[in-house]
Amino acid sequence: MSDDDARPADTRRLPTLDKTPDTADEAARSGPGDAPAGSDEDDGTGRFWSARRVPAAVVALLLLAAAGLLLYDVAAVRADRPAMAWRRRLAHELATRPLDNPWVLGAAALAVVLGIWLIVLALTPGLRQVLPMRRTAPGIRAGLDRSAAALVLRDRAMEVAGVQSVRMKVGRRKAKAHAVSHFRELDEVRADLDVSLGEGLRQLGLAHPLRLTVHVRRPKKG
C-alpha cells in the first residue's frame, strides 16, 4: 500500500493548478504591441512606433543592388572574364589614395552621418503627430492625431461667450490657445477658456495630460 493510500481522507494531497502562465507560451500568444500587466504600455502611455517602411525599403534595395552587382562581378572573374571597370578603379583608388585625402574623409563622414541617421530611426518611436490615449480595454491601444485634438479644442473655445476667433496648437506636452475677444473683460474670457479647454482636455482621454496655456487679446484696430 502506498503512502498516499495510508493518509486519512481529509489530509490526502490534492492536485494543484499553476495559475502562472508559462513565459514562453505567454510571449508566443502576445503580439509585438502587447505588454505585460503593470508596465507603461499596459496603460497606453507609450508612444506609437513607426514602421519606418520607406527607410527600410531604401536601405534594403541599395544593399540588394550592391550585393548583386558585386556577386555578378566576382562570378565573372571566376569565369575567366575581366573584372568590371568600376571595381578595378575602386581597388586602385583604395590602394593609392592616402587616408587624409579630402575625398576619403568626405566619404567617411557621409558614411558616419548615414549610420547615425539609421541608428536614430531604429531607436526612436516616430509618429510624433499621434497622442497616445488611455487604455480602457486590454490588448487595445488608441491614439489621437494632434491636429484632430486641436480642432476639437478650438470648437469648444469658440463656444465661450466673447470669443471671436481662436488659434489652437497642440503639442506632445502642451496645448496653447490664442484667442481674440471682441467683448467682455479679457480676464473673464480667459477664465472661461481655462475651464472649457481644461474640461475638453480631460474628455480627450489622453494618457499624458497636456499643460494648457491660454492667451486672450483684443482684435487689432483698422
Side-chain angles (χ1 to χ4, degrees):
M1 183 170 62
S2 63
D3 294 339
D4 290 340
D5 295 335
R7 292 193 186 96
D10 55 349
T11 62
R12 182 179 296 275
R13 182 184 301 169
L14 297 177
T16 60
L17 296 178
D18 187 6
K19 295 184 179 181
T20 303
D22 184 73
T23 304
D25 295 339
E26 184 180 5
R29 289 193 299 268
S30 61
D34 298 334
S39 65
D40 292 340
E41 294 293 335
D42 186 66
D43 295 331
T45 57
R47 286 173 54 190
F48 289 86
W49 281 75
S50 174
R52 311 288 193 189
R53 294 185 177 89
V54 174
V58 170
V59 173
L61 289 176
L62 290 178
L63 291 178
L64 180 63
L69 186 61
L70 182 60
L71 181 61
Y72 174 80
D73 192 45
V74 171
V77 172
R78 292 292 183 179
D80 296 332
R81 294 185 179 182
M84 291 184 177
W86 67 268
R87 194 155 73 96
R88 295 197 304 268
R89 177 66 181 273
L90 180 61
H92 175 73
E93 293 293 337
L94 292 176
T96 57
R97 284 186 182 271
L99 295 179
D100 57 351
N101 185 272
W103 287 100
V104 176
L105 296 178
L110 179 60
V112 170
V113 171
L114 290 178
I116 294 176
W117 177 63
L118 292 176
I119 292 175
V120 170
L121 289 181
L123 298 180
T124 53
L127 295 181
R128 299 173 62 89
Q129 288 297 119
V130 180
L131 298 174
M133 303 177 68
R134 289 192 300 269
R135 181 173 291 182
T136 58
I140 299 177
R141 293 192 64 195
L144 181 63
D145 191 80
R146 282 159 52 179
S147 60
L151 182 60
V152 172
L153 295 176
R154 177 187 175 277
D155 291 342
R156 289 186 64 94
M158 290 299 298
E159 296 176 357
V160 175
V163 175
Q164 184 180 21
S165 63
V166 179
R167 182 166 52 89
M168 200 76 205
K169 182 179 180 181
V170 175
R172 290 177 50 201
R173 297 179 178 87
K174 297 180 181 180
K176 298 180 180 180
H178 297 269
V180 176
S181 175
H182 56 298
F183 70 93
R184 295 182 66 195
E185 294 293 332
L186 295 183
D187 293 338
E188 296 178 359
V189 176
R190 186 180 297 107
D192 290 347
L193 283 174
D194 285 333
V195 174
S196 179
L197 293 178
E199 181 63 24
L201 286 174
R202 285 189 292 271
Q203 291 180 0
L204 290 179
L206 299 178
H208 301 285
L210 303 180
R211 294 194 299 271
L212 177 63
T213 304
V214 178
H215 300 279
V216 183
R217 63 176 179 84
R218 293 298 185 191
K220 295 181 180 180
K221 297 181 180 181

